[in-house]
Amino acid sequence: MVKRVRLDPIAQVSEIATNSNLLSVLLQEDLNVLKECGGRGLCATCHVYVKEGMESLSGLTKREQRTLEVITTCKPNSRLACQARVLGEGVVVELPAGMYVNAFKDIEALVGRRAEQPLLHPVTGITLVQEGKLITRSVLESVKGLDFDIQQMLAQSSQEF
């Protein structure tokens, strides 16, 4: 059977097969989701907020709970899109505000501009630069250690589980 999921704030309604995950909805709508761990619930790059219909989704797994615990922008209605399967109707999902960056060079290219939205660390979700703040060379110095090997971090994370 097909279920409908509404994506906010774009008010897009998408149809997916019952028991498909929310990530498939996001990808179906060509939304830019990093999904660095390939949908294994380890990286938190597909973190979303469920505005309505939490009871229409599969329950949280221990892995998902552990991953959500390290996200600074986590709320009681947070889910990982790769882990939340749609079982019923009435699901409304909101993507967190923010732009994910993968490396120091992604921020370096923005020097001299104001952040149009918060710049977030791709794994931890920590705000690197707040919305409206000027991205300066001193901001670059504070995040200079951002470069990392995402595959190595994911391998370490999966060993902890």
Side-chain angles (χ1 to χ4, degrees):
M1 293 183 74
V2 174
K3 302 295 184 220
R4 289 184 310 251
V5 175
R6 190 175 88 214
L7 303 175
D8 278 351
I10 61 174
Q12 175 71 41
V13 176
S14 298
E15 293 184 345
I16 63 165
T18 301
N19 209 32
S20 293
N21 63 31
L22 288 173
L23 181 59
S24 64
V25 173
L26 303 178
L27 297 176
Q28 175 180 309
E29 296 303 323
D30 295 325
L31 296 174
N32 187 18
V33 180
L34 290 175
K35 63 188 182 321
E36 292 291 339
C37 71
R40 297 183 316 212
L42 299 172
C43 70
T45 56
C46 67
H47 171 233
V48 296
Y49 299 115
V50 179
K51 290 174 64 176
E52 296 175 27
M54 188 71 87
E55 68 283 352
S56 295
L57 297 173
S58 60
L60 280 125
T61 64
K62 287 183 182 182
R63 176 179 285 176
E64 182 179 7
Q65 286 175 319
R66 287 183 197 139
T67 302
L68 287 172
E69 287 172 0
V70 301
I71 302 173
T72 59
T73 56
C74 186
K75 298 178 183 177
N77 64 331
S78 289
R79 289 298 303 266
L80 298 180
C82 68
Q83 300 298 299
R85 300 204 170 278
V86 180
L87 306 175
E89 293 288 343
V91 177
V92 178
V93 175
E94 180 178 8
L95 295 173
M99 179 181 138
Y100 290 89
V101 295
N102 289 312
F104 179 76
K105 67 181 188 289
D106 294 338
I107 297 175
E108 192 172 37
L110 299 173
V111 168
R113 298 184 193 177
R114 293 208 178 269
E116 294 177 13
Q117 52 190 327
L119 299 180
L120 305 176
H121 188 284
V123 174
T124 65
I126 293 171
T127 301
L128 301 171
V129 180
Q130 294 178 352
E131 179 178 354
K133 295 284 185 175
L134 187 63
I135 303 167
T136 63
R137 295 268 174 219
S138 61
V139 169
L140 286 179
E141 289 300 315
S142 69
V143 295
K144 203 163 201 151
L146 177 62
D147 282 329
F148 58 88
D149 181 343
I150 190 74
Q151 295 306 321
Q152 181 181 6
M153 287 184 77
L154 293 176
Q156 288 173 342
S157 178
S158 66
Q159 288 173 356
E160 293 172 7
F161 292 107

